[in-house]
Amino acid sequence: MKKIGVVLFILILAVTGAFFYWKNYHSKNVDIWQVVPSSAILAYENNSLIENWNKIVDKSIWKTLKKMPYFHTWENGLADADSVTGKDGTLDKLFRNRSFIISVHITSSQDFDFLFSLDVHDSDGKATFEKLIRSVLNDNGILAKSRTYQGLELKELIDKSSKSTFTYF
């Protein structure tokens, strides 16, 4: 009887050890900072984008920044995204209490661009994001494609008129 107890104890210990090993070393969860390339010249992290957006939009700094075409277009895009979802708070729900990083990258000797990274690892975040994507796809001016890059399936939403592309994975 003692042998059965010892074997059972060893078996439980082995299964528990294997579980913790798998969880800690083979998990597919990615820390949001892992997707920000080390070549970023600046990175800004926020945990409540829409709330902070509503605070900055009336400030003089934003009025200056939005004179630049890129930021003006970004402001319009955010307003469009909100209206596409029916202004029902979907964007706020998507960004509230989730890490969001905006990083700046040099793309040529004369230009730079931004990378937007949002952590939607939980099921509620994924459902909210999918609802937003479905809303965008209802617009006939958007084309959806997917491709594989370095083993990751990238999904793209392409504006048919401007050819602007939104890529996510």
Side-chain angles (χ1 to χ4, degrees):
M1 191 65 158
K2 276 186 167 183
K3 286 184 179 180
I4 292 175
V6 170
V7 169
L8 189 58
F9 176 74
I10 292 172
L11 184 61
I12 290 172
L13 191 61
V15 168
T16 304
F19 170 76
F20 283 110
Y21 173 79
W22 180 261
K23 185 175 182 200
N24 291 325
Y25 297 104
H26 292 286
S27 176
K28 293 287 184 181
N29 287 339
V30 175
D31 175 49
I32 191 164
W33 281 99
Q34 289 177 304
V35 300
V36 177
S38 61
S39 61
I41 59 172
L42 178 71
Y44 169 74
E45 183 176 15
N46 190 304
N47 288 324
S48 191
L49 179 69
I50 303 304
E51 181 181 327
N52 290 317
W53 170 261
N54 289 332
K55 289 177 185 175
I56 197 173
V57 76
D58 292 325
K59 304 273 186 208
S60 61
I61 182 105
W62 181 251
K63 291 176 182 170
T64 301
L65 283 174
K66 77 178 188 176
K67 290 178 183 175
M68 296 171 59
Y70 185 91
F71 289 107
H72 182 73
T73 302
W74 198 78
E75 180 182 38
N76 290 340
L78 191 59
D80 289 347
D82 192 36
S83 65
V84 163
T85 59
K87 296 189 178 193
D88 64 356
T90 300
L91 281 182
D92 185 47
K93 185 177 180 182
L94 181 63
F95 287 100
R96 185 171 298 276
N97 298 322
R98 286 194 176 79
S99 292
F100 177 69
I101 300 172
I102 302 171
S103 54
V104 182
H105 305 269
I106 296 173
T107 56
S108 72
S109 63
Q110 299 285 321
D111 207 5
F112 64 93
D113 209 345
F114 298 87
L115 174 66
F116 302 96
S117 306
L118 176 65
D119 185 1
V120 290
H121 70 277
D122 62 323
S123 59
D124 188 43
K126 289 177 184 174
T128 304
F129 185 74
E130 288 170 5
K131 177 183 176 185
L132 178 65
I133 295 299
R134 281 193 304 275
S135 298
V136 169
L137 288 174
N138 287 334
D139 180 351
N140 291 330
I142 303 294
L143 175 67
K145 287 185 175 183
S146 65
R147 62 186 172 96
T148 302
Y149 177 73
Q150 295 184 350
L152 289 173
E153 181 185 12
L154 304 179
K155 297 181 181 182
E156 298 178 328
L157 303 177
I158 304 163
D159 185 306
K160 291 177 184 175
S161 62
S162 71
K163 304 296 183 209
S164 295
T165 302
F166 172 74
T167 305
Y168 63 98
F169 66 95

